[in-house]
Amino acid sequence: LPEPGPMIPPVPAVMLGVKGDEEIADDLTVVWTFVVNGNPPQVGITVAGSSAIDGKLHAALPLIQRHGEFTLNVPTAEIVVPFDKIDMCASKRMDKFAYAGLTRAPSKTIEAPGVAECPIILECRITQSHPIPPKRILFVAGVLRTTVHEGVCDRQGRLIAGAARIFGMTAGCGEFHTLGEKVGHIGQ
């Protein structure tokens, strides 16, 4: 390739919900995320100091820093258009739930809202943050609560992979793809 890039597909597609302020009640955005630890459950996100679209300050960043908590909302293919609308307006301050036609879901352990249409919602509290030059901030957070739609997990809490049309972003081409066929399992 002419230039190196983070071509590690698929990148999880998640919407981040964060408690708002006096100007806007709540905010939604799309962030890069990853699993940090399984026990205790921890996730990581990175948030740009400025939007890749217009170079302005990422609207969610000061809210994440102020409140120290957020939700991660795993969307399905049925809401890929609202997901993309949210992704394209990262620096705008407005009611993004109304803009994208999504429903606020109240959290039980934090004040940040979830997205009711998403079959998996993680309520998270930040434990660490680290600047990542030139303009990103890495946040590590404990998962305090996980909510799933009925039928997404079995009785033991294991994800049923085909129960929801979860999708990922394909780094390297900018496309969205749902999970494909099962090709094996851990420890085979």
Side-chain angles (χ1 to χ4, degrees), residues 148-162:
V148 297
H149 286 181
E150 189 169 331
V152 172
C153 289
D154 64 19
R155 291 183 183 190
Q156 289 74 41
R158 282 180 47 111
L159 179 68
I160 302 169

Side-chain angles (χ1 to χ4, degrees), residues 93-172:
R93 292 302 312 270
M94 61 184 176
D95 184 345
K96 293 178 187 172
F97 283 93
Y99 172 70
L102 298 170
T103 309
R104 282 176 177 81
S107 294
K108 301 283 187 194
T109 61
I110 62 173
E111 294 186 50
V115 177
E117 291 80 2
C118 291
I120 302 171
I121 303 172
L122 283 66
E123 297 177 19
C124 307
R125 183 157 297 127
I126 295 169
T127 58
Q128 298 178 42
S129 66
H130 306 278
I132 307 294
K135 60 182 179 180
R136 296 191 80 79
I137 298 180
L138 165 70
F139 296 98
V140 176
V143 178
L144 305 177
R145 184 170 193 267
T146 302
T147 304
V148 297
H149 286 181
E150 189 169 331
V152 172
C153 289
D154 64 19
R155 291 183 183 190
Q156 289 74 41
R158 282 180 47 111
L159 179 68
I160 302 169
R165 295 182 51 214
I166 295 168
F167 66 91
M169 299 182 285
T170 307

Side-chain angles (χ1 to χ4, degrees), residues 5-184:
M7 197 178 299
I8 305 176
V11 175
V14 296
M15 283 187 282
L16 178 130
V18 65
K19 182 180 179 340
D21 57 19
E22 302 78 30
E23 184 182 339
I24 298 294
D26 302 309
D27 195 52
L28 283 176
T29 195
V30 171
V31 296
W32 290 357
T33 188
F34 50 93
V35 173
V36 173
N37 200 354
N39 187 15
Q42 296 172 314
V43 294
I45 62 170
T46 66
V47 181
S50 61
S51 167
I53 304 301
D54 59 15
K56 295 180 181 174
L57 179 66
H58 205 289
L61 182 59
L63 298 173
I64 295 167
Q65 291 171 316
R66 176 185 302 171
H67 302 296
E69 58 187 34
F70 56 84
T71 61
L72 289 182
N73 303 272
V74 180
T76 61
E78 291 74 18
I79 62 169
V80 70
V81 171
F83 175 89
D84 193 48
K85 287 176 84 169
I86 295 300
D87 193 20
M88 295 295 105
C89 67
S91 65
K92 295 188 175 23
R93 292 302 312 270
M94 61 184 176
D95 184 345
K96 293 178 187 172
F97 283 93
Y99 172 70
L102 298 170
T103 309
R104 282 176 177 81
S107 294
K108 301 283 187 194
T109 61
I110 62 173
E111 294 186 50
V115 177
E117 291 80 2
C118 291
I120 302 171
I121 303 172
L122 283 66
E123 297 177 19
C124 307
R125 183 157 297 127
I126 295 169
T127 58
Q128 298 178 42
S129 66
H130 306 278
I132 307 294
K135 60 182 179 180
R136 296 191 80 79
I137 298 180
L138 165 70
F139 296 98
V140 176
V143 178
L144 305 177
R145 184 170 193 267
T146 302
T147 304
V148 297
H149 286 181
E150 189 169 331
V152 172
C153 289
D154 64 19
R155 291 183 183 190
Q156 289 74 41
R158 282 180 47 111
L159 179 68
I160 302 169
R165 295 182 51 214
I166 295 168
F167 66 91
M169 299 182 285
T170 307
C173 70
E175 296 174 347
F176 303 120
H177 289 270
T178 58
L179 297 176
E181 68 179 285
K182 179 181 174 182
V183 295

